[in-house]
Amino acid sequence: MTTGHPANGLEDVVHQRVRLGIMAIAHEARQVEFGFLRTRLQLTAGNLGQHLTVLEKAELIRIDKGYEGKRPRTWVTLTAAGQAALRKEITHLKQLIQQVEDTDTTPAPDQ
Amino acid sequence: MTTGHPANGLEDVVHQRVRLGIMAIAHEARQVEFGFLRTRLQLTAGNLGQHLTVLEKAELIRIDKGYEGKRPRTWVTLTAAGQAALRKEITHLKQLIQQVEDTDTTPAPDQ
């Protein structure tokens, strides 16, 4: 259970900017190739590789290596745990956004 | 300008889980006391202090020290740049969430 602010329910493994991007793209595309992620997220291969390792160790993605013709390819797929973690992240983000936007429509107390 | 995925538009200074929480709460409360942030975000004083320093150096919050009776108090207020940065973060998060949720309603191509 999460108490206090919705930010407490965010998990650093998933919330980190690049990793959230990787998981969102992998979710959109079902399975996504390393080079596509690099281009989409404007990363160096080393930086992307580090974040993929964090997600793989947390069992949120599966990494498959293979060939497309003679070219080596690395494919990234969200695991069921990864899907659940992304859904949880989005639930907490929506709560946080809702709270911020509710305040926008409330007049300041001393104005 | 942001190209590629909405995750590219997120800025680590604001996006980091704890700092996003600090900024959201400061936005909701206009001005917020250190002890209140600690409780709300379930942080140690040291950890909260470090994140406040990052936000203050980026000129996204203003920190005012004073007294309430005899008790020292630290107050945190979002600057205009902080308000704008929080708004930008939320705009990109909403785009990212929208893309993920649009995929949820699209049937998988090979099912």
Side-chain angles (χ1 to χ4, degrees):
Chain A
M1 280 302 299
T2 309
T3 55
H5 197 265
N8 302 349
L10 301 171
E11 304 209 16
D12 289 323
V13 172
V14 180
H15 181 71
Q16 195 279 341
R17 190 183 71 77
V18 172
R19 292 194 291 268
L20 181 58
I22 293 168
M23 293 184 68
I25 294 170
H27 173 82
E28 290 157 26
R30 264 85 194 180
Q31 191 177 55
V32 67
E33 208 273 316
F34 189 90
F36 179 80
L37 279 176
R38 264 195 69 183
T39 307
R40 213 59 219 292
L41 294 170
Q42 304 170 338
L43 297 172
T44 62
N47 193 355
L48 176 56
Q50 284 170 6
H51 286 296
L52 290 178
T53 301
V54 172
L55 292 173
E56 189 185 29
K57 281 194 180 155
E59 300 183 355
L60 301 178
I61 60 169
R62 203 183 66 231
I63 293 180
D64 297 296
K65 292 179 186 275
Y67 285 86
E68 199 170 49
K70 288 189 168 173
R71 295 185 178 203
R73 289 276 184 259
T74 299
W75 299 94
V76 173
T77 315
L78 277 192
T79 62
Q83 290 281 2
L86 180 62
R87 211 173 303 123
K88 186 179 159 209
E89 163 83 10
I90 284 179
T91 300
H92 289 295
L93 285 178
K94 285 168 92 170
Q95 287 172 2
L96 184 146
I97 291 168
Q98 188 67 53
Q99 288 192 9
V100 169
E101 295 193 333
D102 283 353
T103 319
D104 285 335
T105 56
T106 314
D110 52 359
Q111 277 175 15
Chain B
M1 281 300 300
T2 309
T3 56
H5 196 265
N8 302 350
L10 301 172
E11 305 211 14
D12 289 324
V13 171
V14 180
H15 182 71
Q16 195 279 341
R17 190 183 71 77
V18 171
R19 292 193 291 267
L20 181 58
I22 292 168
M23 293 184 68
I25 294 170
H27 174 82
E28 291 156 26
R30 264 85 194 181
Q31 192 177 55
V32 67
E33 207 274 316
F34 188 91
F36 179 79
L37 279 176
R38 265 196 67 184
T39 308
R40 215 56 221 294
L41 294 170
Q42 303 169 339
L43 298 172
T44 62
N47 193 355
L48 175 56
Q50 284 170 5
H51 286 296
L52 291 177
T53 301
V54 172
L55 292 173
E56 189 184 29
K57 281 193 181 157
E59 300 182 356
L60 301 178
I61 61 169
R62 203 183 66 231
I63 294 181
D64 297 296
K65 293 180 184 275
Y67 285 85
E68 199 170 47
K70 288 189 169 173
R71 296 183 178 205
R73 289 277 185 257
T74 300
W75 299 93
V76 174
T77 315
L78 277 191
T79 62
Q83 291 280 1
L86 180 62
R87 212 173 303 121
K88 186 180 160 209
E89 162 84 9
I90 285 180
T91 299
H92 290 294
L93 286 178
K94 285 169 93 169
Q95 287 172 2
L96 185 147
I97 291 169
Q98 187 68 54
Q99 289 192 9
V100 169
E101 295 193 333
D102 283 353
T103 318
D104 285 334
T105 56
T106 313
D110 52 358
Q111 278 174 16

